[in-house]
Amino acid sequence: MTASAHLHTIRDYIRYAVSRFGAADLFFGHGSDNAWDEAVYLTLHTLNLPLDRLEPFLDARLLAHEREALLDIYQRRCQERLPAAYLTGEAWLGEHRFYVDERVIVPRSFIAELLGEQLAPWIEQPDEVVSALDLCTGSGCLAILAALAFPNAEVDAVDLSPDALAVAARNVADYGLDDRIRLIASDAFAKLAGQRYDLIISNPPYVNAESIAALPPEYLHEPDMALASGEDGLDFTRIILREAKRHLNPEGILVVEIGHNRAALEDAFPKLPFTWPDTAAGNEHVFLLHAADLPD
């Protein structure tokens, strides 16, 4: 007898999903960090229900095609080990939704939190930020959040991957920001000669070789070029630190996410006065530098 013969309500299906996810030993880290939250999200999304209103629907009985759709998405999550974002075609940073697929990394940057606060207190006058660069833009999410945070800014969004830029173009269009965000195919700063910005942000590849070798299957669906960055995870960050000053205005700032590499970064650049803003995960994942502090 099939599972659907015993499952009738949304409550039943969420319980079943949590059990399946636990038995499959899934990894969570692309929007949720546990089986319950992921089961709730996939269930509500699949049923076209509000993602923030579970309680009123828990004991609702499901139609045959709804039960089939839920069992299918649970099965795909377990068998294919696809991150939930690739199954639903969307990822969220706070209240902001972005289209994603396997051409881009699933957005999960702590820089989004800082942009939500307009990078206070390091930027005192957000209206005076008129130019910004998002390096390694991927889906374009941080470029979009920067444009929303700094309404007078023109934003350049750079990525080496044409596939990623195609996804970014869709998101930029969804937010109606085509007139303020310019998508540029470039290997780091290569196509930006002469360009200077009030703000540079980047969530570059930063996973070291040891961690790449141990990644759970879910991460293997993401583009390798968006994750791997050499033996110590700092290859791309070194490029940023070497070249950023020539692309910043004199009062500009640089904000970069580096994962769990704070100790390695400070060992590699002991003379740089890094600032480590607090985020939901602590103060070890994102650094900030002023243009005057960067090497020439």
Side-chain angles (χ1 to χ4, degrees), residues 111-286:
I111 294 174
E113 296 178 37
L114 303 175
L115 290 173
E117 300 172 355
Q118 296 179 301
L119 282 166
W122 301 281
I123 292 181
E124 296 181 358
Q125 301 293 333
D127 289 346
E128 295 181 5
V129 177
V130 298
S131 58
L133 168 65
D134 176 24
L135 198 63
C136 305
T137 196
S139 62
C141 57
L142 293 184
I144 291 166
L145 294 181
L148 296 176
F150 305 107
N152 295 326
E154 302 289 325
V155 181
D156 284 348
V158 167
D159 206 285
L160 180 60
S161 165
D163 286 339
L165 290 173
V167 175
R170 175 169 174 170
N171 283 317
V172 169
D174 285 347
Y175 278 85
L177 290 169
D178 303 80
D179 59 334
R180 292 182 51 214
I181 297 179
R182 180 174 62 153
L183 301 174
I184 301 172
S186 176
D187 187 355
F189 297 96
K191 299 291 180 65
L192 301 177
Q195 297 291 320
R196 286 185 176 268
Y197 305 93
D198 297 322
L199 170 66
I200 297 176
I201 58 176
S202 184
N203 182 20
Y206 56 65
V207 183
N208 62 41
E210 181 180 359
S211 297
I212 283 286
L215 284 176
E218 282 81 354
Y219 284 98
L220 302 182
H221 293 278
E222 295 186 295
D224 181 72
M225 67 182 295
L227 297 172
S229 194
E231 189 65 27
D232 64 357
L234 296 176
D235 282 6
F236 203 99
T237 302
R238 288 187 176 89
I239 294 172
I240 295 173
L241 291 174
R242 184 176 68 238
E243 301 185 22
K245 186 164 188 173
R246 73 189 69 171
H247 295 284
L248 279 170
N249 290 323
E251 301 301 318
I253 64 173
L254 170 69
V255 181
V256 180
E257 186 159 338
I258 49 91
H260 298 283
N261 294 330
R262 175 172 175 171
L265 182 70
E266 291 180 325
D267 286 345
F269 297 91
K271 295 183 179 180
L272 288 183
F274 295 107
T275 296
W276 297 92
D278 283 320
T279 70
N283 66 345
E284 297 189 347
H285 303 287
V286 178

Side-chain angles (χ1 to χ4, degrees), residues 49-101:
L49 293 172
L51 297 180
D52 59 350
R53 295 188 64 197
L54 171 63
E55 189 65 30
F57 306 108
L58 270 172
D59 294 311
R61 295 173 69 89
L62 298 172
L63 299 173
H65 73 274
E66 293 175 323
R67 297 196 298 269
E68 182 178 346
L70 288 176
L71 292 176
D72 179 67
I73 202 165
Y74 300 159
Q75 182 174 1
R76 292 194 64 198
R77 179 68 181 91
C78 292
Q79 291 189 351
E80 299 177 40
R81 300 293 293 266
L82 281 166
Y86 291 154
L87 291 169
T88 63
E90 68 176 20
W92 293 80
L93 288 174
E95 63 183 15
H96 299 283
R97 177 191 180 277
F98 302 97
Y99 171 79
V100 295
D101 59 33

